Amino acid sequence: MLVSPPATSPAQQAAFGRPARVDGSFAGDRPTPPPPPVPPPPPEAVLRAFAPPVAAARGLQEPPGGRPGRRRTATGPWWKADARADPWRDPHAPAGLTGPAVFEEDEQSGPIVVDPKGRKRLRLRDLSIRLSVLVVLAVLLIGALGGAAGYLLTRTADESPLLAPGTQLNESEEGVAREPGSVSDIAERVTPAVVSVEVRLGEAGATGSGVVIDGANGYIVTNNHVISGADGVEGAEIRAVFFDGSGSAARIVGRDPASDVAVLKVEKPALLTAALGDSGDVVVGDPVVAIGSPLGLASTVTSGIVSALDRPVRLSGEGSDTNAVISAVQTDAPINPGNSGGALVNGAGEVIGINTAIASLGGGSVGLGFAIPIDTVRDIAEQLISTGRAVHAALGVNARSVTDSARDGALVVNVEPGSAAAEAGIREQDVIIAVDGDAVGSSEELVVAVDAHEPGETISVELVRNGSSQTVEAVLDEA
């Protein structure tokens, strides 16, 4: 169903309707609308600030043709003859940078001024020279008065006397506890059984150490190289100096160059006897203490550990007939010249070796010392005390150490006629590589292996000849 639009009111028809007799949208003869009202002129201050130059005077927001009847403005500082060159007025003037704005503060007079926080300050540059001099003089005067007062007070004070009769210093009531087995405990027990051995040959002399092995009979064990220079020499003197500082002449009971062991005897009763241990119980890493007279310093104690066992060491020295190879106990306890013949002691206070040598490039201790095992010392000392001499087994060969990069051994240089080696068929140029199944890697190890047996014992010797290995039996002789 069609609905007709609502009828328009006369006002709407007048406002929006098409005039009569007009076919198009607009009529060419429409009445001209009234002109808009003319705005009032701008204030005088705005005109002075923003009006254009007089030569091209136009009103503010005026059309290009200008406003008829130009209005004259009042003369002011902005309308001078150089207004076109004024950078504040000329829009085409170049821009430039200047320094910062500086505001001068009011200068305050007088030495006392007020800072920006309102606090009063003394300005030294405003003080007069006379006032400055007076201040300095006052400071100096005060310092002089203080020093004089201090001096007078110290001079007039009573001084305490230098001496104070009857003074007793404090003393601790509790003693220091030393655990059994400590170095101090071992030194306290063993040091009285270690002596210094002094050897005099005319104007020359030497020192070493010794250990009391039989206090009841005055027997002392030491190294052969310590006393060998005095044996059989007229006027030579050997003296043993004990822990308490007393001394006694000593006689040679016997000495053994093949083991570097010697025994002395002194006529002094009630000597403390050292406890002798067992070399077989010693293991690498055991703590040890070396006691002796290194560099002539009696009763010196050093400590360390057992760093190796069964170390073959050749012993020989100038001025001595010692020519021995020992299976040594190696230690890092510092040992120096003069320690020779002294005791190497374990943690139980037992002597496990007699210090005899050091390994050094310059003659000083470098942490490698060697001691004769106490089992060897005991055996040799018992023989010397009993008979005055010691017996050793001998194979009857001279050898030197060799290696072929695969196996080490002892090369036989010569064979003594009629010796145990000759009877066993050992020849020159044979290389001995084992004794009784124990490997032999050097001439020193061969000597140690043979010396571990008694004369008359039979040993098996493995050797290499012409590139083939064979084993022979040898009955050891007496050296």
Side-chain angles (χ1 to χ4, degrees), residues 241-259:
V241 180
F242 302 97
F243 174 72
D244 59 2
S246 62
S248 177
R251 296 175 293 164
I252 298 177
V253 176
R255 60 190 188 87
D256 181 29
S259 63

Side-chain angles (χ1 to χ4, degrees), residues 148-359:
Y151 174 78
L152 293 176
L153 290 176
T154 56
R155 293 288 295 176
T156 58
D158 294 335
E159 294 182 351
S160 60
L162 292 176
L163 304 179
T167 299
Q168 293 183 348
L169 301 180
N170 65 315
E171 181 179 355
S172 176
E173 296 181 357
E174 297 181 1
V176 178
R178 296 181 175 87
E179 297 181 0
S182 63
V183 174
S184 57
D185 175 65
I186 295 171
E188 182 180 4
R189 289 188 286 138
V190 181
T191 300
V194 180
V195 303
S196 294
V197 178
E198 299 178 351
V199 180
R200 295 187 180 276
L201 300 171
E203 297 297 328
T207 60
S209 306
V211 179
V212 179
I213 56 175
D214 186 349
N217 297 303
Y219 289 113
I220 299 172
V221 68
T222 186
N223 284 139
N224 175 71
H225 72 265
V226 173
I227 54 89
S228 62
D231 189 17
V233 178
E234 184 178 356
E237 179 184 356
I238 302 176
R239 184 177 178 82
V241 180
F242 302 97
F243 174 72
D244 59 2
S246 62
S248 177
R251 296 175 293 164
I252 298 177
V253 176
R255 60 190 188 87
D256 181 29
S259 63
D260 199 26
V261 175
V263 176
L264 304 176
K265 182 176 176 61
V266 296
E267 303 300 330
K268 186 176 179 65
L271 293 177
L272 178 65
T273 302
L276 305 184
D278 187 349
S279 301
D281 295 335
V282 181
V283 298
V284 174
D286 280 348
V288 290
V289 176
I291 305 175
S293 303
L295 308 176
L297 305 174
S299 303
T300 295
V301 178
T302 58
S303 64
I305 63 170
V306 174
S307 55
L309 294 173
D310 302 325
R311 180 77 73 191
V313 177
R314 184 174 293 277
L315 306 177
S316 61
E318 297 181 1
S320 172
D321 59 356
T322 295
N323 184 19
V325 178
I326 63 173
S327 180
V329 177
Q330 179 179 308
T331 178
D332 68 349
I335 295 176
N336 290 275
N339 269 117
S340 296
L344 186 67
V345 187
N346 64 11
E350 301 171 338
V351 179
I352 61 170
I354 297 299
N355 300 319
T356 186
I358 59 176

Side-chain angles (χ1 to χ4, degrees), residues 5-34:
T8 58
S9 63
Q12 292 176 338
Q13 185 67 29
F16 301 101
R18 181 175 295 133
R21 297 182 302 278
V22 176
D23 299 329
S25 299
F26 296 94
D29 56 351
R30 291 186 65 183
T32 302

Side-chain angles (χ1 to χ4, degrees), residues 394-397 414-426 475-477:
L395 183 60
V397 299
N414 61 30
V415 179
E416 297 179 9
S419 64
E423 295 294 332
I426 299 175
V475 179
L476 298 176
D477 298 326

Side-chain angles (χ1 to χ4, degrees), residues 379 391-394 435-436 438 446-460 474 476-477:
D379 178 56
V391 176
H392 296 273
V435 172
D436 282 345
D438 296 328
L446 176 61
V447 174
V448 170
V450 172
D451 194 52
H453 296 81
E454 298 293 335
E457 291 185 6
T458 301
I459 61 173
S460 63
L476 298 176
D477 298 326

